[in-house]
């Protein structure tokens, strides 16, 4: 591995209870960030508890013991901390970002989030908030289509779970079920603490020992099963919709594939910006309002996704052109296009690491997926080394024939 940026040092330490602490320390930075990354997400939930990871994330901010939700908010605000949390299909994270001296002062409150009390009234109040959030997403056409498509594409596999859950599952999650899920997944051996920026690493270790050493090991999430992708044609109509949405999906490399960068850049060449193939074929001539492609990577699975939004009268032509672009991609990749994508992706990686919060998030995500650390410099170097032959190897290994097709159209 190449060394990190000048002045930046990577340090790692493991507490006796199994909690890993990994940090990129930059004494020249004017801020610092740290966060807990928990190795569990929507795909790891029992189907009847779909949404419990996200629900638990919300409940973490409602407090524990004498510390109420209001007290947590005031504590963070008094210290001037930027703070938040998120839940995905495969992880849950809680983080803070602040001036260096304030970060350490805020750490005890951050640690408290990982051990919520799950008070009964708080649970009912937050249940209403999440049900409203679900209703809000039901008004978003793209999410209606993509969630319905993923449910069918992954069938019985947890990768088809909705992060927010459904009205039925969220409505039925009890305090006992959530507490049991928390005890099973939130052990120090199933999470890590990432930090970046102007961090006093020794002081952070002492704080972590003081506030987390009593946390005991837990079983953790179940072993993730490899999915069997289904052949799917999913069509749905929606009231008060003026446009038609089309999504084409097919299996793709997962995040541990040796050439996952090439797979992602392949989709960038197809539809990653206003200079790529789908834009010039569909958007520029006015056939579609939007057209793009992406490579979504997961643990043990991945998807190539190609989608467009257009006038319903042009939907068939738009879908036909999407399919034509997929099948003709090998012959349409130019060295100039690859060069542009390399530059764009490398810049995006560098910019993401510009702030300690971005570096902290990158450390945590990498640990969850690979249990290691890679410098931004190494990452950018790998991106710059992707060749035309690498893209062709991905095309040799992975078919771009859509396996799942979703269409969302206005109700007649």
């Amino acid at each position: 591995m190449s060394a990190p940026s000048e002045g930046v040092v990577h340090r790692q330490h493991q507490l006796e209870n199994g909690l890993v602490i990994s940090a990129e320390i930059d004494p020249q930075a004017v801020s610092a960030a740290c966060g807990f990354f928990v190795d569990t997400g929507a795909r790891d939930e029992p189907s009847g508890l779909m949404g419990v990871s996200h629900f638990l994330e919300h409940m973490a901010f409602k407090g524990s013991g004498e510390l109420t939700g209001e007290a947590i908010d005031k504590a963070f605000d008094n210290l001037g901390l930027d703070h938040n949390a998120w839940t995905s299909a495969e992880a849950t994270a809680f983080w803070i970002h602040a001036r260096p001296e304030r970060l350490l002062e805020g750490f005890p409150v951050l640690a408290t989030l990982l051990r919520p009390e799950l008070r009964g009234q708080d649970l009912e109040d937050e249940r209403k908030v999440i049900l409203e959030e679900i209703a809000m997403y039901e008004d978003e056409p793209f999410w209606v289509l993509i969630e319905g498509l993923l449910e069918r594409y992954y069938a019985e596999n947890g990768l088809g779970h909705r992060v927010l859950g459904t009205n039925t599952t969220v409505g039925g999650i009890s305090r006992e079920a959530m507490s049991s899920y928390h005890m099973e997944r939130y052990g120090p051996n199933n999470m890590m603490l990432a930090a970046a920026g102007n961090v006093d690493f020794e002081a952070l270790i002492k704080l972590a020992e003081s506030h987390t050493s009593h946390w005991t090991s837990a079983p953790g999430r179940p072993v993730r099963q490899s999915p069997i992708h289904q052949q799917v044609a999913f069509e749905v109509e929606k009231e008060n919709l003026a446009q038609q949405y089309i999504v084409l999906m097919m299996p793709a490399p997962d995040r541990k594939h040796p050439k996952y960068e090439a797979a992602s850049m392949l989709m960038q060449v197809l539809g990653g910006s206003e200079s790529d193939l789908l834009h010039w074929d569909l958007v520029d001539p006015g056939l579609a309002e939007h057209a793009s492609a992406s490579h979504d990577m997961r643990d043990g699975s991945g998807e190539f996704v190609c989608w467009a939004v257009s006038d319903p009268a042009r939907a068939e032509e738009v879908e036909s052109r999407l399919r034509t672009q997929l099948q003709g991609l090998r012959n349409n990749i130019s060295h100039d296009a690859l060069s542009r994508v390399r530059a764009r992706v490398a810049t995006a990686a560098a910019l993401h690491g510009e702030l300690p919060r971005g570096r902290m998030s990158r450390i945590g995500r990498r640990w969850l997926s690979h249990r290691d650390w890679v410098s931004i410099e190494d990452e950018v170097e790998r991106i710059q080394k992707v060749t035309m032959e690498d893209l062709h190897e991905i095309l040799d290994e992975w078919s771009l024939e859509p396996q799942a097709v979703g269409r969302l159209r206005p109700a007649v």
Side-chain angles (χ1 to χ4, degrees):
M1 290 184 186
S2 60
S5 302
E6 185 177 355
V8 177
V9 177
H10 176 252
R11 297 280 303 279
Q12 186 164 307
H13 179 81
Q14 187 169 19
L15 302 186
E16 290 185 4
N17 64 4
L19 180 68
V20 172
I21 307 171
S22 180
E24 289 182 10
I25 303 163
D26 181 2
Q28 303 304 313
V30 297
S31 67
C34 69
F36 287 97
F37 290 76
V38 188
D39 190 11
T40 193
R43 73 176 293 185
D44 307 306
E45 302 164 346
S47 294
L49 291 180
M50 191 193 309
V52 68
S53 301
H54 175 256
F55 200 160
L56 181 54
E57 174 215 315
H58 277 235
M59 289 300 297
F61 287 89
K62 305 305 285 187
S64 180
E66 296 182 359
L67 191 64
T68 64
E70 182 180 0
I72 289 173
D73 290 338
K74 285 184 177 179
F76 284 143
D77 287 344
N78 288 339
L79 293 170
L81 271 70
D82 186 13
H83 65 282
N84 214 328
W86 52 261
T87 304
S88 70
E90 299 182 328
T92 311
F94 306 83
W95 57 267
I96 56 176
H97 187 193
R99 289 182 294 158
E101 68 275 13
R102 295 299 194 184
L103 186 84
L104 297 178
E105 293 180 58
F107 181 83
V109 181
L110 175 66
T112 300
L113 300 182
L114 280 292
R115 289 296 179 269
E117 189 168 320
L118 307 180
R119 303 180 184 95
Q121 187 56 53
D122 289 338
L123 192 79
E124 295 310 315
D125 291 343
E126 211 58 32
R127 192 192 311 274
K128 295 174 185 176
V129 172
I130 295 172
L131 291 175
E132 289 176 0
E133 191 175 356
I134 291 172
M136 180 185 71
Y137 273 93
E138 287 176 349
D139 289 332
E140 295 291 332
F142 177 77
W143 287 108
V144 169
L145 183 58
I146 198 69
E147 286 188 335
L149 190 62
L150 286 171
E151 278 183 337
R152 292 158 177 79
Y153 183 57
Y154 283 115
E156 300 301 319
N157 192 280
L159 281 169
H161 285 175
R162 304 182 180 202
V163 172
L164 298 184
T166 66
N167 288 328
T168 300
T169 59
V170 171
I173 294 173
S174 67
R175 181 190 184 280
E176 291 72 23
M178 184 179 291
S179 178
S180 177
Y181 182 85
H182 176 270
M183 291 179 61
E184 181 180 293
R185 308 297 174 89
Y186 275 59
N189 54 318
N190 302 313
M191 64 176 75
M192 66 91 65
L193 174 62
N198 193 345
V199 178
D200 184 335
F201 192 63
E202 298 303 326
L204 182 62
I205 290 175
K206 289 181 180 179
L207 278 170
E209 287 176 337
S210 174
H211 292 278
T212 74
S213 61
H214 62 285
W215 296 356
T216 56
S217 295
R221 61 169 172 78
V223 175
R224 290 169 176 164
Q225 301 300 316
S226 297
I228 299 175
H229 303 103
Q230 307 297 310
Q231 289 281 351
V232 176
F234 172 58
E235 300 191 6
V236 61
E237 294 185 348
K238 187 173 176 61
E239 299 285 349
N240 303 316
L241 189 67
Q243 297 172 303
Q244 180 154 330
Y245 291 69
I246 172 71
V247 175
L248 306 179
M249 187 181 296
M250 54 232 89
D254 68 6
R255 61 171 55 125
K256 291 184 180 179
H257 190 281
K259 294 193 174 181
Y260 69 86
E261 296 98 342
S264 295
M265 291 169 71
L266 186 68
M267 290 297 103
Q268 288 280 326
V269 169
L270 177 61
S273 79
E274 294 184 356
S275 65
D276 296 323
L277 296 170
L278 292 181
H279 176 83
W280 292 112
D281 190 34
L282 290 167
V283 179
D284 186 70
L287 291 173
E289 178 182 313
H290 177 87
S292 66
S294 65
H295 172 214
D296 299 335
M297 291 178 287
R298 308 171 190 273
D299 182 6
S301 181
E303 308 106 39
F304 288 137
V305 182
C306 187
W307 67 285
V309 183
S310 73
D311 186 305
R314 292 178 167 173
E316 288 188 12
E317 181 181 0
V318 168
E319 181 175 340
S320 177
R321 289 199 180 205
L322 289 176
R323 292 174 178 271
T324 298
Q325 286 289 347
L326 285 167
Q327 297 310 310
L329 185 55
R330 179 188 296 272
N331 298 324
N332 292 331
I333 304 172
S334 69
H335 286 280
D336 284 346
L338 176 56
S339 179
R340 286 196 303 272
V341 168
R342 269 199 302 252
R344 189 167 71 232
V345 174
T347 298
L351 290 177
H352 184 65
E354 192 73 19
L355 290 176
R357 186 177 69 193
R359 282 181 174 262
M360 173 268 298
S361 178
R362 184 179 164 278
I363 293 168
R365 290 175 185 272
R366 176 75 191 190
W367 183 87
L368 289 176
S369 62
H370 289 77
R371 295 298 193 271
D372 65 6
W373 171 82
V374 172
S375 71
I376 289 179
E377 290 72 21
D378 269 336
E379 182 179 345
V380 171
E381 184 178 355
R382 284 179 61 99
I383 291 168
Q384 298 286 18
K385 287 183 176 179
V386 172
T387 65
M388 189 75 77
E389 289 72 24
D390 292 327
L391 301 189
H392 286 165
E393 285 186 25
I394 294 296
L395 289 170
D396 289 339
E397 184 179 357
W398 300 87
S399 169
L400 294 187
E401 179 64 33
Q403 191 162 333
V405 180
R407 303 179 185 95
L408 175 64
R409 60 173 62 92
V412 178

